[in-house]
Each structure stands twice: as structure tokens, then as C-alpha cells.
Amino acid sequence: PRLTPAAIAAMFKRFRKQNPAPTTELNYTNEFTLLVAVVLSAQMTDTGVNRATEPLFKIADTPEKIVAL
């Protein structure tokens, strides 16, 4: 069964209550680089993601810069 918008909102409210300041081992500089790192983390370890993204994010840390590559 699909979750309703109200059920999703309630779930995230519980998440925020249990962990109001979540952290990650992934290195990122903005919401876009966090998204890229999270997508990559499905395929490798956080350590591997950080090694791969460190040089990438120095030159391409926005969607526009990624497309330009």
C-alpha cells in the first residue's frame, strides 16, 4: 500500500524527533553535492565516495558545472 502525504509527514516528524541533527560521513558542500554523494553511496562505501567526489566537487559543485563537464 502507498503512503499518504499525511503518513509521510508523520514519519518525517518522528525522524526529526528521534534525530534532530542527523550527520553523515559523506563530504559535501551544498544540497546538490550531498545528493550526488548519496546517489554514489548506493554503489560504494562512503570512503570511496569521498575519494571520488573530492576532486569532482572542486571543479563541479552545481548542476550547471556537472553538465558543462
Side-chain angles (χ1 to χ4, degrees):
R2 297 186 78 175
L3 293 175
T4 65
I8 294 169
M11 178 176 58
F12 277 97
K13 185 176 180 180
R14 287 192 304 272
F15 289 160
R16 275 191 303 276
K17 185 176 180 182
Q18 286 185 335
N19 189 359
T23 60
T24 179
E25 293 181 20
L26 296 171
N27 296 331
Y28 63 98
T29 57
N30 57 43
E31 290 84 4
F32 175 71
T33 58
L34 176 59
L35 174 64
V36 171
V38 168
V39 169
L40 291 173
S41 73
Q43 302 301 318
M44 64 178 91
T45 66
D46 290 352
T47 301
V49 171
N50 289 336
R51 273 196 311 251
T53 57
E54 181 179 359
L56 173 64
F57 292 161
K58 287 180 182 177
I59 60 172
D61 61 352
T62 67
E64 295 81 12
K65 290 178 183 176
I66 291 284
V67 169
L69 277 177

